[in-house]
């Protein structure tokens, strides 16, 4: 059983639980990309998306499949960043959370070759599945950013992003704002990619970004951990 995880200003990213999630199969390792680039760089460079896709009636899937998921990171440049997880691009997100960090801060972290975001839940019950937990401590590259609560319902901006990106599996750029209104927090940016899902146990799993440009390893990993 993995050792208990303790909340602190720093999260040891060499924690055995984290390391076990970096190796999904025997002999296979996720390597850091030395040439960078990819979607993380595109997050703040792409032009306006002019997709005309319609949302229609979304399909609901309560759980992720065993191997992959679609993740979207979005937010206004001067506002906080959101993370949405879907079983596929046509489904309503089954996990949405506003991270306790500004979009500009995350973009700065993305200048490195590897970004690791860890969400830790300190729960007292065994009844919920891991991603059904509500309160999370959030760490970025080992540093504690604060606490967040998983959203039960999507607000207008979140529904707007979901509708615009319906059917889009991979991409990064700037989206038109809701009703094309100017926002004091700047442009609405997004990055979407497919992620490999690695389950360590009922209390730990990870999502590793699948690079569309053929880079040797994921540039972004998201870890979910539960301690008792």
């Amino acid at each position: 059983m993995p050792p208990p995880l303790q909340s602190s200003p720093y999260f040891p990213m060499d924690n055995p639980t984290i390391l076990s999630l970096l190796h999904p199969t025997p002999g296979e390792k996720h390597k850091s990309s030395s040439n960078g680039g990819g979607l993380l760089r595109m997050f703040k460079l792409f032009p306006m998306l002019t997709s005309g896709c319609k949302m229609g009636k979304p399909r609901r899937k309560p759980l992720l499949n065993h191997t992959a998921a679609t993740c979207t990171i979005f937010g206004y440049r001067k506002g906080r960043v959101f993370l949405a997880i879907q079983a596929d691009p046509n489904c309503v997100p089954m996990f949405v959370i506003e991270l306790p960090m500004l979009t500009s801060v995350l973009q700065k972290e993305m200048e490195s070759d590897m970004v690791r975001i860890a969400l830790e839940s300190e729960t007292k019950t065994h009844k919920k599945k891991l991603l059904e937990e509500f309160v999370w401590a959030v760490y970025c590259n080992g540093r504690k950013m604060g606490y967040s609560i998983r959203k039960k319902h999507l607000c207008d901006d979140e529904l707007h992003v979901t509708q615009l990106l319906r059917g889009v599996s991979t991409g990064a750029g700037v989206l038109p704002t809701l009703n094309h209104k100017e926002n004091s927090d700047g442009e609405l940016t997004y990055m979407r990619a497919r992620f490999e899902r690695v389950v360590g146990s009922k209390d730990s799993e990870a999502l590793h970004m699948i690079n569309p440009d053929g880079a040797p390893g994921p540039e972004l990993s998201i870890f979910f951990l539960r301690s008792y």
Side-chain angles (χ1 to χ4, degrees):
M1 178 178 295
L5 300 169
Q6 303 296 329
S7 287
S8 68
Y10 296 93
F11 191 91
M13 299 309 289
D14 57 352
N15 180 286
T17 304
I18 293 288
L19 292 178
S20 69
L21 293 169
L22 288 174
H23 305 280
T25 57
E28 181 181 352
K29 296 182 179 180
H30 288 285
K31 301 177 182 178
S32 175
S33 172
S34 60
N35 56 6
L39 286 174
L40 299 189
R41 301 282 192 262
M42 292 157 56
F43 185 40
K44 52 185 175 181
L45 296 177
F46 261 46
M48 180 76 71
L49 177 73
T50 56
S51 171
C53 59
K54 302 295 183 181
M55 185 64 183
K57 186 176 181 180
R59 293 185 290 115
R60 289 187 176 273
K61 287 188 178 180
L63 298 173
L64 297 176
N65 64 33
H66 295 294
T67 60
T70 296
C71 293
T72 309
I73 294 174
F74 63 95
Y76 291 98
R77 286 193 188 276
K78 298 178 183 179
R80 290 194 174 187
V81 67
F82 290 79
L83 168 67
I85 302 175
Q86 299 164 263
D88 67 55
N90 295 301
C91 293
V92 172
M94 48 78 63
F95 184 95
V96 178
I97 194 168
E98 180 182 3
L99 301 177
M101 58 192 303
L102 297 175
T103 302
S104 58
V105 173
L106 180 58
Q107 288 174 341
K108 186 174 182 180
E109 293 288 343
M110 287 178 173
E111 293 175 1
S112 64
D113 287 339
M114 176 68 76
V115 177
R116 293 177 178 175
I117 297 173
L119 286 82
E120 179 191 12
S121 174
E122 300 174 356
T123 185
K124 303 299 182 184
T125 178
H126 297 265
K127 295 181 180 179
K128 293 180 180 177
K129 290 181 170 56
L130 180 58
L131 293 187
E132 292 177 347
E133 297 293 348
F134 280 101
V135 181
W136 298 88
V138 180
Y139 301 80
C140 183
N141 285 344
R143 188 179 64 201
K144 189 171 186 177
M145 309 306 294
Y147 287 88
S148 289
I149 299 176
R150 178 175 67 84
K151 287 179 168 286
K152 287 185 177 181
H153 306 288
L154 302 185
C155 71
D156 289 343
D157 276 338
E158 293 149 13
L159 285 171
H160 173 67
V161 171
T162 302
Q163 290 168 351
L164 285 178
L165 296 179
R166 186 185 180 215
V168 177
S169 59
T170 302
V174 178
L175 293 169
T177 58
L178 185 63
N179 298 323
H180 299 277
K181 293 182 179 179
E182 291 187 7
N183 190 295
S184 60
D185 288 331
E187 297 171 316
L188 177 59
T189 61
Y190 84 97
M191 184 195 75
R192 170 172 284 186
R194 292 289 287 168
F195 281 67
E196 178 189 5
R197 184 183 180 218
V198 180
V199 177
S201 69
K202 65 181 177 63
D203 298 318
S204 65
E205 64 180 77
L207 296 167
H208 300 291
M209 191 175 77
I210 301 170
N211 284 303
D213 57 1
E219 297 170 323
L220 172 62
S221 295
I222 304 169
F223 301 90
F224 297 90
L225 306 144
R226 178 163 53 190
S227 58
Y228 298 96

